Amino acid sequence: MSEHRRKPPQPQGGGRAAARRGQSGSSSGRRAAPRGATGSPSDSHGSGARGEERTYGSRAEARRAAQRGGGSRRRGGAAGPGRGRGRAAPPARKGIIDYPRHDKYGWRRWMPSWRLVSGLCIAFFGGLVAVAGIGYAMVSVPVVAETATAQNNVYYWADGSQMVATGGERNRQIVNLSQIPKAMQNAVIAQENKTFRDDSGIDPKGIARAVFNMARGGETQGGSTITQQYVKNAMLDDQSQTISRKFKEIFVSIKVGATEDKDTILEGYLNSAYYGRGAYGIQAAARAYFNKDAIEMNEGECALLAAVLKGATYYDPNGTPSIDPVGASPAANKKRALAQMQDTLDKMVEYNLLDAETRAKYPKLPKVQNPRSNTALSGQIGYLVDLAKAYIVNNSEETGITSSKLEQGGYSIYTTFDKKKVQELEKSVQRVYKAKIKPEERPDTDTHVQFGGASVDPATGAIKAIYGGVDATKHFTNNADATGAQVGSTFKPYVLAAAMKWGVRDPELDEIQAQDERTIVSPKSLYNGKNKLKIKNYDGSIWRNEKGEEWLQVNDGDESYGSPPDYKIDLREAMRESVNSSFVQLGMDVGLDKVKEAAIDSGILKTSLAGTNYPSFSIGTSSPSAIRMAGSYATFAASGKQRDPFSVKKVTSKEGTVFTHKTETKQAFTAQVADNVTDILKTVVEEGTGTNAQLPGREVAGKTGTTDGNKSAWFVGYTPQLSTAISMFRYPDDESIKNRQFLEMFGTGGEKKIHGASFPSQIWADYMQDALKGQAPKSFPTPEPIGEVVNDVPTPSPTPTPTETESETPSAPPSSTPPPTIPTPTQPTNTCRPFDFNCDDDDDSGGNGPGGGDDGGQDGGVPTSPTPTQSDGGGNNRGQGNNNGGLFGGPGG
């Protein structure tokens, strides 16, 4: 080997590092020393030989020798035997568990051994067995008789005094299995748990599902077996929705299944289950639904009660619309209960628990009785409790209280209801009813007369009083909430508010551009008050329905307002006299979508509003509730500040305060808009159709309303301190009457016609005078001037020409509503220009249009819809279309 490639000896101090730190001038100093040339004394025992150093046949042997000798395995290390460049010695094993593994390297070091895995599994399952054993030993079998009592819910008036204690009293009577019909036992087994006689008492899949739901934050589900459901019902001492409670249920279910016979379990379940109507147990349920002992029930009645076990809120045939106006209405519940009852009977036949001949005897729901038997809920109390319960349950995301939790009792519920005002409102209705309504003398006109009413505080939205009907234990629909009675001309303030908030559209622009180019109207704006006015689109073209028919809007008594030839009146007069034609045309100019938006902004629920396909939308074809009408008018009283009506201030339990209401305020309208609406509505009471609602020494704003066919009448009015709505209608209570409808009120109470200006406004004034007693009168804010005077230019008289005639009946075949068109000089001259009130309106013959009727009330009736199925009219049958005016959710206001 050539000299220049021979490796020089490494300097003393040894190791590559030392060599690198050696003489910087020697390039060979950067190389590592040969093995053994470390400069240590052991290296001098022989020349070129390793002395007594042991050689090894492999790297593994050297590694094991290093481990035995405890030597260092650092590269180039001087200590210990072995190869100087071997791996580091593994750490010695420490403790019982060898993890990470001491004799493995890389990823193998972190893989547990089979011994470790086996040991952990044995320990885990052993622990589970131990926990299960302890849990099993600690729980006891529940006894239904010991859990038959529970706490009431206590309701309080606004002043803190107690209203009523109810809702958790547990109406229950324990009976033996021999007193429960075999059909009831079989119905429950067939519907709930067909393997009941053979299973162990628990359903692992159902348990896993319930635990999974709770882990996701959902509500616990009922047990899948009858045994689990029985245990759940009986554990009244702990109704918390937690995983620990679910595991406790599992242990109790296992113990019950192992120690109790099936008949005992079935008896316990049927005696502890909740069937609705405050009835716990089969005996109480038989009395609540059929007024008979349980043993006397037939197969159909048993199948119905088995269906009710699915959830009384949605399977009680009488319904619970206060909880869910849509899903729990009587009609929806009957349909649901019948389907479930039939399914139960079919399963009984399928599982050989009932013969087909007997099953065929029950194709319909059995007759059930009055759902409210608690005399503590008579009068108005039942309606108030229902309203408070509905508020709590329908806002469960805020209150944290579901229907099942509320039913368990133990809550103190502080309502907004003013006891004095509730009593005064009931007295005011009763005075008018006793003095004027004589069903014995006038059975054809005075039967089925009903009133509804509600008062709302404009400053907070608190519902201070309601009138729901004659008696909550006799008349079950809360007339302050869901009735379906159309509101008529009390809807006109929303048209006015929309015109002042958004303005009327520019008739010279197309529909898209016109949405932005608008003119805010002032109260002095002029509109046509002519009877049988031909209604136009905003651009002046004639409005036609899908059949090509025109709309001729009638006024009350076929009366025209204003002087010919243009019949112009300002909006103040139009509101004062409730002129239909003016407001229908104003609604078309603004856009019915904006009118609808104004109503919603004020507090009316969208679900209670009729469709906007027809011009009559502006004059009250919708059916909000009395509560929502009072609340929306309260928005005007509060200078445009909208606050949703509410009935519960606070809920407490033994744990403390559960819920406290927080009022949310929205600026629905500017004070300028709202105060101008109020100023015009003051005119209605001072000089117009609402003079019966005057209160001496107080400023009052309000509006009357009467609907088509004289089937409902309203007065909604307010002072700065209180807003109140009163409704009147005729509707049969008897559910046996098929296709029930609102009845006409011609001749009712000895009056030729019922208007909002008659009984409703009289009740309103009588009540408000007492309700406001002791409160100093307040004045409404002085409104700031708003908008521009629209249509103030006199309309020139049309020049008669041969082409300026137009048939009342369209000559073209009926078609869908044509798009608005802007007249041009080349078009026929019988196309009306914007705001041209004289254009072909001289024919008073009425025509065939949908507005050609003459049933308007004194304050502006709603005309007949083009066809009974159209959405603008909503019909007169409860539960159809948009007629359910409920306060909380669902259709309803």
Side-chain angles (χ1 to χ4, degrees):
M1 182 180 293
S2 63
E3 187 68 25
H4 73 277
R5 293 185 60 83
R6 182 176 300 162
K7 296 180 181 178
Q10 184 155 341
Q12 292 204 1
R16 290 186 179 180
R20 285 194 295 268
R21 292 191 297 268
Q23 299 175 357
S24 58
S26 174
S27 60
S28 62
R30 297 177 181 272
R31 294 183 177 272
R35 293 183 180 177
T38 60
S40 64
S42 62
D43 289 327
S44 61
H45 287 296
S47 60
R50 296 177 179 263
E52 295 182 8
E53 179 180 297
R54 180 181 176 182
T55 60
Y56 299 96
S58 68
R59 186 176 295 179
E61 291 180 2
R63 190 162 54 244
R64 284 193 290 272
Q67 292 173 9
R68 287 192 296 270
S72 170
R73 298 183 59 201
R74 292 173 297 174
R75 296 191 180 191
R83 308 178 73 169
R85 298 183 66 179
R87 295 185 180 179
R93 177 173 174 174
K94 296 179 180 180
I96 298 175
I97 299 177
D98 182 19
Y99 191 81
R101 299 173 70 179
H102 78 286
D103 59 346
K104 300 294 181 183
Y105 300 93
W107 62 270
R108 293 182 180 84
R109 178 172 169 79
W110 301 98
M111 289 294 293
S113 67
W114 67 268
R115 295 184 184 86
L116 178 60
V117 173
S118 300
L120 290 176
C121 288
I122 293 172
F124 176 74
F125 288 108
L128 286 182
V129 172
V131 170
I134 295 171
Y136 184 89
M138 292 181 64
V139 299
S140 59
V141 175
V143 180
V144 175
E146 295 176 357
T147 61
T149 59
Q151 301 176 76
N152 287 324
N153 291 320
V154 183
Y155 294 81
Y156 295 90
W157 294 102
D159 63 3
S161 60
Q162 182 172 320
M163 179 195 303
V164 66
T166 185
E169 60 270 22
R170 295 298 191 267
N171 174 21
R172 178 184 292 154
Q173 180 181 350
I174 306 297
V175 294
N176 295 326
L177 193 64
S178 60
Q179 297 174 280
I180 301 174
K182 194 69 175 178
M184 186 67 210
Q185 302 174 38
N186 290 337
V188 170
I189 291 173
Q191 188 58 253
E192 301 288 338
N193 184 192
K194 67 178 180 179
T195 62
F196 167 70
R197 295 289 181 184
D198 304 313
D199 63 34
S200 62
I202 63 170
D203 176 15
K205 290 183 179 179
I207 293 170
R209 184 172 59 250
V211 172
F212 178 70
N213 276 357
M214 284 185 291
R216 293 171 55 194
E219 190 175 351
T220 57
Q221 296 180 338
S224 296
T225 68
I226 288 176
T227 302
Q228 287 177 263
Q229 294 183 62
Y230 161 56
V231 169
K232 182 178 184 296
N233 294 338
M235 291 172 61
L236 297 178
D237 58 322
D238 180 11
Q239 291 292 335
S240 59
Q241 305 294 319
T242 61
I243 293 179
S244 61
R245 180 185 182 276
K246 179 56 63 176
F247 276 112
K248 183 178 179 181
E249 283 183 17
I250 293 172
F251 290 134
V252 175
S253 298
I254 294 171
K255 194 162 192 174
V256 169
T259 60
E260 302 290 332
D261 63 74
K262 294 295 185 178
D263 283 349
T264 301
I265 295 171
L266 185 59
E267 176 186 303
Y269 172 61
L270 293 173
N271 277 312
S272 63
Y274 179 59
Y275 298 81
R277 303 190 178 191
Y280 285 79
I282 188 62
Q283 175 66 13
R287 283 291 173 188
Y289 283 87
F290 311 118
N291 196 27
K292 61 174 65 172
D293 289 332
I295 193 62
E296 299 173 352
M297 293 192 301
N298 60 39
E299 287 81 357
E301 292 166 339
C302 291
L304 174 60
L305 290 189
V308 168
L309 287 174
K310 291 288 185 181
T313 297
Y314 294 99
Y315 288 90
D316 184 338
N318 281 95
T320 51
S322 61
I323 298 295
D324 185 347
V326 182
S329 67
N333 276 25
K334 281 185 174 69
K335 182 178 180 180
R336 192 181 294 114
L338 177 61
Q340 189 69 19
M341 170 189 163
Q342 297 302 311
D343 181 66
T344 300
L345 291 170
D346 290 340
K347 286 180 177 177
M348 291 171 70
V349 174
E350 179 184 350
Y351 304 147
N352 297 318
L353 300 174
L354 182 68
D355 63 87
E357 183 179 355
T358 303
R359 185 260 176 273
K361 296 179 181 179
Y362 306 104
K364 299 180 180 179
L365 284 173
K367 185 177 180 180
V368 297
Q369 66 169 1
N370 177 352
R372 188 181 276 123
S373 58
N374 189 342
T375 56
L377 300 177
S378 62
Q380 300 304 303
I381 301 299
Y383 302 124
L384 298 172
V385 168
D386 284 349
L387 205 59
K389 288 169 64 177
Y391 180 81
I392 292 170
V393 172
N394 289 328
N395 292 280
S396 59
E397 290 186 0
E398 297 177 25
T399 64
I401 304 172
T402 62
S403 180
S404 59
K405 285 184 178 180
L406 188 63
E407 191 59 48
Q408 291 158 16
Y411 294 104
S412 294
I413 299 164
Y414 296 85
T415 73
T416 61
F417 307 129
D418 186 308
K419 184 177 182 180
K420 176 179 176 293
K421 289 181 173 62
V422 171
Q423 293 173 341
E424 294 297 343
L425 182 53
E426 185 176 29
K427 289 177 183 177
S428 296
V429 173
Q430 289 175 344
R431 276 195 282 267
V432 167
Y433 195 95
K434 291 178 180 179
K436 297 291 185 179
I437 310 303
K438 309 290 184 182
E440 297 82 7
E441 298 178 12
R442 296 184 290 268
D444 294 336
T445 59
D446 286 21
T447 54
H448 311 303
V449 175
Q450 299 185 35
F451 294 93
S455 274
V456 172
D457 181 358
T460 63
I463 303 172
K464 307 306 290 184
I466 65 167
Y467 178 81
V470 291
D471 191 319
T473 62
K474 299 175 182 177
H475 171 74
F476 309 127
T477 299
N478 185 349
N479 291 347
D481 198 5
T483 66
Q486 295 178 351
V487 296
S489 291
T490 57
F491 204 79
K492 289 174 181 173
Y494 309 130
V495 184
L496 181 62
M500 291 181 172
K501 181 175 182 178
W502 289 288
V504 296
R505 291 172 287 184
D506 187 335
E508 301 296 335
L509 300 177
D510 62 39
E511 189 170 354
I512 296 177
Q513 292 176 316
Q515 291 296 330
D516 299 323
E517 297 294 330
R518 292 173 173 268
T519 302
I520 302 298
V521 304
S522 84
K524 296 179 181 180
S525 295
L526 302 175
Y527 269 81
N528 196 317
K530 188 173 182 294
N531 183 53
K532 296 181 182 177
L533 176 68
K534 187 178 296 183
I535 299 303
K536 310 175 186 68
N537 294 305
Y538 82 94
D539 63 359
S541 60
I542 302 299
W543 185 94
R544 299 176 189 273
N545 67 9
E546 68 279 0
K547 296 180 180 180
E549 298 171 328
E550 299 171 352
W551 188 284
L552 304 180
Q553 182 59 56
V554 298
N555 294 325
D556 176 53
D558 287 329
E559 183 175 355
S560 293
Y561 296 83
S563 302
D566 52 18
Y567 293 96
K568 287 183 178 179
I569 57 174
D570 65 26
L571 291 179
R572 186 180 296 274
E573 180 182 356
M575 185 72 78
R576 185 183 71 219
E577 302 300 332
S578 199
V579 182
N580 287 342
S581 55
S582 299
F583 279 95
V584 170
Q585 187 58 60
L586 177 61
M588 298 300 292
D589 293 346
V590 174
L592 298 184
D593 59 330
K594 293 300 184 185
V595 174
K596 183 175 184 177
E597 188 173 344
I600 294 172
D601 287 347
S602 73
I604 301 297
L605 292 184
K606 181 179 180 179
T607 49
S608 69
L609 295 174
T612 57
N613 296 330
Y614 290 88
S616 59
F617 177 78
S618 293
I619 50 176
T621 57
S622 300
S623 54
S625 69
I627 293 173
R628 282 288 170 174
M629 288 300 290
S632 69
Y633 272 48
T635 300
F636 299 123
S639 294
K641 293 181 176 64
Q642 190 270 328
R643 302 169 177 102
D644 279 341
F646 69 100
S647 56
V648 176
K649 297 186 294 184
K650 182 176 66 173
V651 180
T652 63
S653 68
K654 63 182 180 180
E655 284 81 19
T657 300
V658 177
F659 164 75
T660 301
H661 174 80
K662 295 180 181 179
T663 297
E664 293 185 4
T665 300
K666 302 174 185 176
Q667 194 70 43
F669 309 105
T670 64
Q672 186 183 30
V673 170
D675 293 344
N676 271 279
V677 172
T678 293
D679 192 59
I680 291 177
L681 294 181
K682 282 173 58 181
T683 309
V684 175
V685 177
E686 293 168 356
E687 306 172 12
T689 60
T691 53
N692 281 339
Q694 293 177 359
L695 299 176
R698 293 184 185 274
E699 289 189 357
V700 175
K703 185 71 188 73
T704 53
T706 304
T707 57
D708 177 46
N710 206 213
K711 294 177 181 177
S712 63
W714 290 73
F715 183 81
V716 187
Y718 54 95
T719 67
Q721 297 111 314
L722 195 63
S723 177
T724 299
I726 303 294
S727 65
M728 178 181 178
F729 51 91
R730 290 181 66 205
Y731 188 80
D733 268 337
D734 189 355
E735 291 189 4
S736 64
I737 300 176
K738 294 183 178 180
N739 299 320
R740 286 184 294 169
Q741 296 183 353
F742 286 88
L743 305 175
E744 294 179 345
M745 294 189 291
F746 297 107
T748 298
E751 301 286 332
K752 181 179 178 181
K753 225 177 185 181
I754 297 297
H755 309 109
S758 56
F759 297 155
S761 63
Q762 293 169 17
I763 293 172
W764 188 95
D766 186 61
Y767 159 69
M768 290 289 282
Q769 190 165 349
D770 291 328
L772 294 172
K773 191 174 294 182
Q775 296 186 47
K778 289 186 178 181
S779 298
F780 291 114
T782 301
E784 297 180 5
I786 190 172
E788 300 178 21
V789 178
V790 176
N791 304 329
D792 60 335
V793 178
T795 304
S797 299
T799 302
T801 66
T803 60
E804 282 188 329
T805 60
E806 186 173 354
S807 172
E808 292 296 339
T809 304
S811 57
S815 61
S816 59
T817 304
T821 57
I822 301 176
T824 64
T826 61
Q827 289 179 311
T829 56
N830 63 349
T831 301
C832 296
R833 294 290 298 168
F835 311 121
D836 185 357
F837 298 137
N838 291 303
C839 178
D840 199 30
D841 282 342
D842 294 330
D843 187 350
D844 289 342
S845 60
N848 298 319
D854 58 358
D855 290 334
Q858 176 177 327
D859 49 0
V862 177
T864 305
S865 301
T867 62
T869 59
Q870 297 302 333
S871 61
D872 72 312
N876 288 311
N877 294 327
R878 288 193 187 185
Q880 297 181 3
N882 292 290
N883 284 331
N884 291 327
L887 170 63
F888 303 110

